[in-house]
Amino acid sequence: MTETEKTKRPQQVYTLLIEVGRKADDGLPKGATGAGILCFASGVDEAEAVRETVAILKQADLAPLDVTGYGTLAEREQVGDEIGAEERALMQRALDENSVIVVQMTPFFDKP
């Protein structure tokens, strides 16, 4: 089967939580030990979404340490996640633009 004969798999949007460590010029607040970054990322599968997200975060001078995948919109709905209109709109944007959308970044600190 040639490349053009293969069925193109549709893009889906995956919810990813990426833990990043410190790196020079990462833009994290002074005293932070790292951060958690919630993203919506498009890909034909979760592995592709993770690879693309990690590559983009590295280009942004961040140091990805760990990625946790929470699945697609349908998978999240199956487990009972409540997904509001704003989240759905951001997921649709990630799909439409074939991109990674950073939803939230939460810095981590050793001391409260």
Side-chain angles (χ1 to χ4, degrees):
M1 183 179 289
T2 67
E3 190 67 32
T4 55
E5 291 173 326
K6 289 183 182 177
T7 304
K8 185 173 179 177
R9 297 188 315 180
Q11 294 277 320
Q12 296 190 74
V13 175
Y14 296 87
T15 300
L16 304 174
L17 180 60
I18 301 91
E19 183 179 337
V20 298
R22 291 308 309 249
K23 184 177 175 187
D25 301 321
D26 60 13
L28 295 176
K30 184 178 180 176
T33 57
I37 303 173
L38 180 64
C39 296
F40 297 141
S42 66
V44 295
D45 56 27
E46 191 170 72
E48 180 185 64
V50 168
R51 282 191 304 275
E52 292 296 322
T53 302
V54 167
I56 288 169
L57 292 176
K58 285 181 176 180
Q59 286 177 349
D61 288 329
L62 293 167
L65 300 173
D66 188 51
V67 179
T68 303
Y70 290 94
T72 63
L73 174 62
E75 291 167 340
R76 290 184 56 201
E77 287 175 326
Q78 280 182 331
V79 297
D81 286 357
E82 289 186 26
I83 301 158
E86 186 177 344
E87 269 190 280
R88 288 176 188 275
L90 289 172
M91 289 177 177
Q92 187 61 51
R93 181 177 166 202
L95 184 62
D96 292 345
E97 298 176 2
N98 188 23
S99 64
V100 175
I101 304 290
V102 174
V103 179
Q104 182 176 355
M105 180 185 279
T106 304
F108 300 143
F109 297 91
D110 278 340
K111 299 175 185 171

